Amino acid sequence: MIDVHAHHFPASDLGELKGPSGSVGVAYRSDERILEFPSGPTRPLFDSSADLAIRRSWNAEIGITRQVLSPWMDLTGDDLPKVEALEW
């Protein structure tokens, strides 16, 4: 089975978020696994969204043999000011 609607957020990008908020004002609350944007909305970051090993294991359990990964559009930062959005 091929899943053509799968979202991914690279775990390596979480390292770019320093302290309570990153340089563009986006914070990652690791204890809750939540990305928080300056405008207020928060977005959960599931382990399978960021960790490809977990995703592969989960896919094998449910019979998915391939996935087409794409960014999660909620995490594009389209509500950030222009300069911060470009940096994000």
Side-chain angles (χ1 to χ4, degrees):
M1 179 185 313
I2 299 173
D3 177 0
V4 297
H5 187 174
H7 298 287
H8 179 65
F9 187 86
S12 59
D13 287 353
L14 294 175
E16 297 293 320
L17 304 175
K18 301 177 179 94
S21 66
S23 61
V24 296
V26 180
Y28 176 58
R29 299 191 328 230
S30 59
D31 57 329
E32 300 177 66
R33 291 186 160 89
I34 290 176
L35 281 169
E36 187 171 56
F37 288 83
S39 60
T42 59
R43 300 291 185 247
L45 187 61
F46 305 106
D47 290 340
S48 60
S49 296
D51 187 313
L52 293 177
I54 291 172
R55 182 186 296 268
R56 285 186 194 107
S57 175
W58 181 72
N59 285 345
E61 287 177 24
I62 61 173
I64 294 175
T65 55
R66 298 265 192 256
Q67 277 191 323
V68 177
L69 299 179
S70 62
W72 187 10
M73 296 312 293
D74 284 357
L75 302 181
T76 60
D78 59 351
D79 59 341
L80 293 171
K82 183 178 179 180
V83 172
E84 286 85 355
L86 289 171
E87 185 177 341
W88 175 249

